[in-house]
Amino acid sequence: MFLNVLYGVYVVVFICSTSGEPLRFKDGKFKIAQFTDLHYGEDEFTPWGPIQDKNSDHVMHSVLTAEKPDFVLFTGDTLTGNNIGSNATEYWKYVLSPCLQHDTPWAHVFGNHDDLSVEHGDRDTLMKYDQTFNLSHSVRGPRDLFGVSNYFLPIYGEGSDRVEAVIYMLDSGGGQIEEQVTPEQITWLYHTYHVNMQEYGPVHSILTFHIPPPEFEDLFNTGQCTGYLNNTVLPLPSEGLYKTILSLPNLHLVTTGHYHENDYCCSTENKLLCQGRHSGYGGYSDIARGSRIIQLEKDKLQTWIRMENRNIVDHIILKYHNFAIQES
């Protein structure tokens, strides 16, 4: 869906998915499984590489079987494109197999390794290929913005045409393009959010992108957090992003990836700023693999880590209206 909306002095390109069936709440809930840093195709010409891809398959099947989510968010570095020859789309299809087998819709944001394969592996080619699947809700964002995966997805009420929540996506670059979130992307997020507030009312929302800004580590060092921060969060050109995130009143959770040994979730100003659990066996880290689960409900948001062995850790409940954080 493409609409040009005049908002103050800006023309906001208003982009959302038109793929397949609309995303909907079921029994008052909408559950998301985040898979991040899967790194398929790493060392494809060695015995180690294909074994790690099969292990990553197991992580996704385990989580999808245990949680039965309504939706999957792939939050970047789905591929190690720099280790893949000319078959990037074949690896992309391989990654999607668990979702196809479980009949679970998905969407992607790009990371800093996805678009580095020699042939047919740039962001636009991968996005176009992903959109050939009926279960895909991925969208090619505005062409005048940096990156490709800048868009949003509305989530409708059960049996209703009313939008009850929104997922926002940003492309934090890397790979063939610079690692950054530009001022224009931040402006797009701010104004698209407010256009949606006018259109849908004050619905609850979440945001995802691959590389977190350094302010997330600052919050971890001073705030109320669960989980781990074992990898230092390096500077990311993204001036104004953190301030904008804090300014959006019904944006209740942000989740990122990139740092394989971090899986923190910190609370501040009626928000949870989180990192997904490393889901893939490609890429560095010795921690057990898993998935961040995010469950949207009418009066609260819940998030937890579902481990590959199906244990649950770091369960947090955020009540929207009185900013009550409950850990279990």
Side-chain angles (χ1 to χ4, degrees), residues 20 71 100 106 109 135 139 141 171 184 197 201 222 232-233 236 252 267 289 303 323:
F71 190 62
L100 292 168
W106 70 80
V109 295
L135 289 172
V139 176
D171 193 327
E184 292 78 15
M197 288 277 281
T222 60
T232 298
V233 179
L236 174 74
H252 292 298
S267 61
R289 279 24 176 207
T303 185
F323 189 41

Side-chain angles (χ1 to χ4, degrees), residues 14-308:
F14 186 78
I15 294 190
C16 63
S17 173
T18 56
S19 301
E21 292 294 321
L23 302 176
R24 293 190 181 278
F25 280 79
K26 298 176 184 177
D27 299 322
K29 301 174 183 178
F30 188 82
K31 185 189 288 187
I32 301 164
Q34 177 190 2
F35 294 129
T36 195
D37 296 274
L38 290 161
H39 283 281
Y40 276 71
E42 188 156 326
D43 286 345
E44 66 172 342
F45 298 113
T46 71
W48 178 87
I51 291 172
Q52 302 318 304
D53 291 344
K54 289 182 180 179
N55 290 339
S56 300
D57 285 350
H58 185 267
V59 175
M60 288 196 282
H61 281 297
S62 178
V63 170
L64 293 173
T65 299
E67 291 288 351
K68 299 177 175 58
D70 302 298
F71 190 62
V72 164
L73 275 178
F74 292 101
T75 59
D77 284 3
T78 300
L79 306 181
T80 303
N82 39 302
N83 287 1
I84 295 173
S86 59
N87 54 346
T89 53
E90 286 301 309
Y91 272 102
W92 202 263
K93 184 177 181 179
Y94 184 13
V95 170
L96 299 176
S97 295
C99 288
L100 292 168
Q101 292 176 38
H102 288 263
D103 197 32
T104 305
W106 70 80
H108 284 268
V109 295
F110 288 114
N112 56 301
H113 284 279
D114 292 308
D115 68 351
L116 289 172
S117 58
V118 176
E119 296 178 15
H120 310 300
D122 61 275
R123 274 168 156 78
D124 271 308
T125 298
L126 292 173
M127 180 62 79
K128 288 177 183 177
Y129 181 72
D130 191 81
Q131 291 174 318
T132 65
F133 294 89
N134 289 334
L135 289 172
S136 172
H137 287 258
S138 303
V139 176
R140 205 292 178 206
R143 293 187 178 273
D144 59 346
L145 281 184
F146 172 83
V148 168
S149 51
N150 303 290
Y151 60 102
F152 72 89
L153 299 174
I155 308 170
Y156 293 86
E158 188 169 5
S160 168
D161 293 330
R162 179 178 177 181
V163 173
E164 295 190 358
V166 179
I167 305 171
Y168 293 92
M169 323 282 194
L170 288 175
D171 193 327
S172 57
Q176 293 187 21
I177 59 179
E178 185 177 349
E179 293 182 5
Q180 62 178 340
V181 178
T182 66
E184 292 78 15
Q185 288 173 280
I186 297 167
T187 296
W188 174 86
L189 173 65
Y190 179 86
H191 289 290
T192 302
Y193 175 90
H194 285 285
V195 167
N196 285 341
M197 288 277 281
Q198 291 180 353
E199 177 73 15
Y200 305 142
V203 299
H204 304 294
S205 59
I206 67 172
L207 168 66
T208 188
F209 49 94
H210 183 64
I211 306 175
E215 291 92 342
F216 280 31
E217 179 167 340
D218 296 339
L219 180 61
F220 181 87
N221 291 330
T222 60
Q224 178 183 355
C225 305
T226 61
Y228 300 97
L229 195 151
N230 296 314
N231 302 142
T232 298
V233 179
L234 300 174
L236 174 74
S238 56
E239 184 177 357
L241 176 59
Y242 186 71
K243 183 178 179 180
T244 298
I245 287 169
L246 296 184
S247 78
L248 303 178
N250 289 315
L251 178 64
H252 292 298
L253 179 140
V254 180
T255 189
T256 64
H258 190 58
Y259 295 101
H260 298 180
E261 295 176 324
N262 296 348
D263 72 346
Y264 55 83
C265 201
C266 300
S267 61
T268 183
E269 299 189 28
N270 201 26
K271 302 181 192 307
L272 295 173
L273 305 184
C274 307
Q275 158 103 26
R277 183 79 175 197
H278 188 196
S279 305
Y281 277 84
Y284 69 89
S285 87
D286 295 322
I287 67 171
R289 279 24 176 207
S291 167
R292 178 166 295 285
I293 306 299
I294 303 158
Q295 184 164 283
L296 303 172
E297 302 177 33
K298 182 178 180 179
D299 60 348
K300 63 181 178 292
L301 178 152
Q302 301 189 59
T303 185
W304 59 90
I305 303 294
R306 172 69 74 168
M307 305 301 296
E308 181 183 7

